[in-house]
Structure formats: C-alpha cells, structure tokens
Amino acid sequence: MWLAFGLLVTLAGIEAALALMRDMLIADKAALLQSLATVQQHQPNDGVLSRIPTLGQMLLGFILPFALAFVAIPLESFVASARTVGGAALVLLARGAAFALRLAGNLVRNLSRVVITLYDVVIVLPLLVERLLAKKKPAVEVDDEDLAVRRR
C-alpha cells in the first residue's frame, strides 16, 4: 500500500512539473516571437500575479491523480454491484408490467360482461313489446286466391 501511495505521489509530482513546463514553453515561445518582431514592446513583469495561473495548473495537476485514484475504488464497487441492482430492477419492471397487464385484462373481461348484460336488458324490452303485440293480433288466414290477386 505504501509503495502504491509513493508511486501515486511521484506521478502527481511529474504531472505538476509537466504543467509548469508547459507554461514555461508557452512563455518562451511568446518571448521568442516578441524578440523577432520588428517593434520592441515592453511588457511589465508582474511577478507573483503572472504566476497564479501556472500555480493553479500545477496544483490541479498534483491533485488530479489522487482524485482519479480515489474515485476508481467506489467506481469499481458500483460496476460490480450494478449487474445485481440492474437485474433486480428488471425483475421489478417485469412484475409491474405483469400486474398492469393482468389488471387491464380483468378490467376488459368484466367490462365486456357488463356491456353484454346491458345489451340484454336493452334488447329484452323491444322483444317483450313485440311478443305482446303478436299475442293481441288475430291470426289472418290468407287464401291462395288472395295471394294470386295481390301479386298481380
């Protein structure tokens, strides 16, 4: 563990040094371009104020490896348990879908029974009226001759 921590500190120091070198190279390039220019411009050297971005980049370069190393352990645990949690979530989703479909099926089945019963109630009234009217009418006998006359 101490060896890994020492390696991590070493790599963080190298990253901070690379951030410093990057800024130094950029400053050297700017100085070279300025010296090659035809008109010399005087740039004031602010000292500490001009070094704040460089110091900030060096600090972030030193902290970043630690942040990445300490995030990797919880991330590994998350990835290892994500399969179990995902499977449990899929089972819950399947059970919820089964419940919803079963509920919808029972609702449609019972609703169709109600509609059939209502249809029976509605259709019985005209059938009763027809039956009553059929009983009141006397049966009319029609001769074959009457039919022949009516057809002409």
Side-chain angles (χ1 to χ4, degrees), residues 129-147:
V129 169
E130 180 186 13
R131 192 177 292 160
L132 289 174
L133 291 176
K135 285 182 182 179
K136 287 184 179 182
K137 279 187 178 179
V140 177
E141 292 184 20
V142 178
D143 293 338
D144 289 335
E145 293 176 9
D146 290 337
L147 283 176

Side-chain angles (χ1 to χ4, degrees), residues 9-87:
V9 169
T10 303
L11 289 174
I14 290 172
E15 191 167 345
L18 286 173
L20 175 66
M21 286 191 62
R22 177 183 164 271
D23 278 351
M24 287 174 56
L25 288 172
I26 290 173
D28 287 345
K29 183 179 177 183
L32 178 64
L33 289 175
Q34 187 177 7
S35 68
L36 293 175
T38 55
V39 178
Q40 292 287 331
Q41 295 177 353
H42 178 66
Q43 284 212 337
N45 190 1
D46 294 336
V48 177
L49 290 178
S50 65
R51 292 288 184 185
I52 289 177
T54 303
L55 293 174
Q57 286 182 357
M58 287 177 62
L59 181 66
L60 288 176
F62 189 79
I63 292 174
L64 184 65
F66 289 101
L68 292 175
F70 293 129
V71 165
I73 295 169
L75 183 63
E76 180 185 359
S77 299
F78 172 74
V79 169
S81 64
R83 192 175 108 198
T84 305
V85 172

Side-chain angles (χ1 to χ4, degrees), residues 112-144:
S112 68
R113 288 180 183 170
V114 167
V115 168
I116 289 170
T117 304
L118 287 175
Y119 175 75
D120 287 343
V121 167
V122 169
I123 199 68
V124 161
L125 293 175
L127 290 175
L128 284 175
V129 169
E130 180 186 13
R131 192 177 292 160
L132 289 174
L133 291 176
K135 285 182 182 179
K136 287 184 179 182
K137 279 187 178 179
V140 177
E141 292 184 20
V142 178
D143 293 338
D144 289 335

